[in-house]
Amino acid sequence: MLNLIASSSLLAAGWGTNLMIIGLLILALLMMVLLGIIAFFFRLWIQSIWTGAGITLFDLMAMTIRNVNAKMIVRGKIMAVQAGLGDASGITSKALEAHYLAGGNVPQVIKSMIAANKAKTIQLTFREATAIDLAGRDVLEAVQTSVYPKVIDCPPRNAKRTSLDAMAKNGIQLKVKARVTVRANLQRLIGGATEETIIGRVGEGIVSAIGSADTHSQVLENPDLISKAVLSRRLDANTAFEIVSIDIADIDVGENIGARLQADQAEADTQVARARAEGRRAMAVAEERENLAEIENARAMVVDAEADVPKAIAEAFRSGQLSIMDYYSLRNVQADTDMRKSIAQTSNSPTPAQK
């Protein structure tokens, strides 16, 4: 009995020792994992502490669990803090994480905020910057364009036509090249029209201004008339830019389109007149042929009437109304008439000397 109790005590002591060893191993493993995590985030954590970014070690671990690039967030927050943009500007680690998870470009947004803050003349909030970035626009380029205006060629250099062609009221064509200086409007960047709209509107305004000029010489003498007319139309409405100036870079005189149009119109009028004359000639020919047909019809009627004369003479002989002497007298009169006609024709014909 004493031996059984002693063996039970030894077995219980062995199980206690094993449990203690297992607990120590688990604790050592947890310590190793913790030390590994601390070693992995130690550099970022130290950078955050020294720069005052305010990102804790637990925040870094939570970023990794949420599949967020912790290095990018820490670097972005450090850049913002060093530039004087802290949580008061809306640039918090949570806001940066949310923008990253939404597919935004965190470094680009931070750089744009720093550039706007340094410029002093640009009002750009973190909310606006993230909205512009998520809309697919380059927010840093927009800020740079606000600080340093951008020059747009009109028409663009890669366009098929190298100039804007317009015609003055006197019919002379002018070929114009313009340069538009624009500044980005950050408040209208979301939903505002792009450079293509600016180019199209400016081109339309230039063509309209030249078309309203009485002569092309007026435009050549004062190219600023085009700029003033175009600027007065507020072409930058509902666009992402503000037009600073419109400069006429080059003006060339083209074709005399008015004269060419007049020549084409005269040629068309000539063809119409020829067609009408041809119609009148055809009508005259048809009328002449109708008259000839009527003449032939009259001749046929005369021949038909002359055919009845011998019948009438024979009937007069039979009825006794016409005697043989009367008939011969009629024949003599006819012969005398024919002779007089032949003499008259001979006397009226030209002599060889007259020919």
Side-chain angles (χ1 to χ4, degrees):
M1 188 67 181
L2 293 174
N3 292 333
L4 182 61
I5 293 173
S7 61
S8 299
S9 299
L10 292 174
L11 183 61
W15 276 104
T17 304
N18 292 334
L19 290 175
M20 185 179 295
I21 293 172
I22 293 172
L24 291 175
L25 290 175
I26 294 173
L27 183 60
L29 182 62
L30 292 176
M31 291 296 293
M32 290 177 64
V33 171
L34 183 60
L35 290 175
I37 294 173
I38 293 174
F40 182 78
F41 293 110
F42 182 75
R43 185 177 180 181
L44 294 176
W45 180 45
I46 292 298
Q47 290 178 356
S48 175
I49 292 175
W50 285 352
T51 57
I55 300 176
T56 64
L57 185 62
F58 294 101
D59 292 334
L60 296 175
M61 296 172 60
M63 290 179 192
T64 304
I65 295 173
R66 289 192 291 267
N67 197 21
V68 176
N69 191 340
K71 184 177 180 180
M72 181 184 295
I73 300 300
V74 172
R75 293 288 176 84
K77 186 63 181 298
I78 291 173
M79 289 172 58
V81 171
Q82 293 297 317
L85 300 172
D87 294 344
S89 301
I91 306 177
T92 63
S93 60
K94 298 296 182 182
L96 294 177
E97 288 183 49
H99 187 62
Y100 177 84
L101 292 174
N105 191 337
V106 173
Q108 200 82 339
V109 171
I110 297 299
K111 291 178 182 179
S112 65
M113 290 292 296
I114 294 173
N117 183 53
K118 297 298 182 182
K120 301 295 184 181
T121 58
I122 301 175
Q123 299 295 329
L124 179 65
T125 63
F126 180 72
R127 184 183 182 88
E128 291 175 346
T130 54
I132 294 171
D133 184 62
L134 293 177
R137 300 289 183 89
D138 192 337
V139 60
L140 180 59
E141 182 183 358
V143 173
Q144 292 173 349
T145 306
S146 298
V147 178
Y148 184 74
K150 182 179 181 180
V151 178
I152 303 174
D153 291 328
C154 185
R157 295 183 179 180
N158 57 353
K160 295 182 179 180
R161 306 190 68 173
T162 58
S163 63
L164 296 171
D165 301 340
M167 184 180 67
K169 290 183 179 180
N170 61 346
I172 304 298
Q173 183 188 46
L174 294 178
K175 299 178 178 291
V176 180
K177 295 180 181 179
R179 290 182 179 177
V180 185
T181 304
V182 296
R183 178 187 292 114
N185 190 329
L186 299 177
Q187 281 67 37
R188 295 188 309 199
L189 195 61
I190 300 177
T194 57
E195 296 179 8
E196 288 76 9
T197 303
I198 293 290
I199 294 173
R201 290 182 180 180
V202 171
E204 179 185 358
I206 290 174
V207 172
S208 177
I210 295 175
S212 60
D214 293 331
T215 60
H216 70 287
S217 58
Q218 292 180 354
V219 181
L220 294 176
E221 291 173 359
N222 299 307
D224 58 336
L225 294 176
I226 300 176
S227 303
K228 293 178 180 178
V230 175
L231 286 173
S232 63
R233 300 178 63 179
R234 299 296 301 169
L235 302 179
D236 55 0
N238 298 323
T239 64
F241 301 95
E242 293 179 0
I243 297 178
V244 179
S245 65
I246 299 176
D247 303 318
I248 305 302
D250 188 18
I251 299 180
D252 293 329
V253 179
E255 301 178 1
N256 192 340
I257 298 180
R260 188 179 66 185
L261 292 176
Q262 291 178 359
D264 294 342
Q265 185 64 39
E267 180 65 22
D269 294 341
T270 302
Q271 293 179 359
V272 171
R274 288 177 179 174
R276 291 177 179 176
E278 183 65 21
R280 290 194 297 269
R281 189 190 67 81
M283 291 294 294
V285 171
E287 186 177 358
E288 180 182 3
R289 290 184 178 179
E290 290 179 358
N291 293 333
L292 291 176
E294 291 180 357
I295 292 172
E296 293 297 330
N297 189 20
R299 288 178 179 177
M301 294 177 65
V302 170
V303 171
D304 189 18
E306 289 178 350
D308 293 336
V309 172
K311 295 179 181 180
I313 293 174
E315 181 66 24
F317 276 126
R318 284 193 294 268
S319 62
Q321 295 180 358
L322 182 65
S323 63
I324 296 299
M325 295 302 296
D326 294 333
Y327 176 72
Y328 279 115
S329 297
L330 179 61
R331 295 286 294 178
N332 289 332
V333 171
Q334 289 178 348
D336 184 61
T337 302
D338 293 337
M339 181 182 66
R340 291 176 182 276
K341 286 182 179 180
S342 62
I343 293 173
Q345 291 177 357
T346 303
S347 61
N348 290 332
S349 61
T351 60
Q354 291 178 347
K355 292 181 179 180

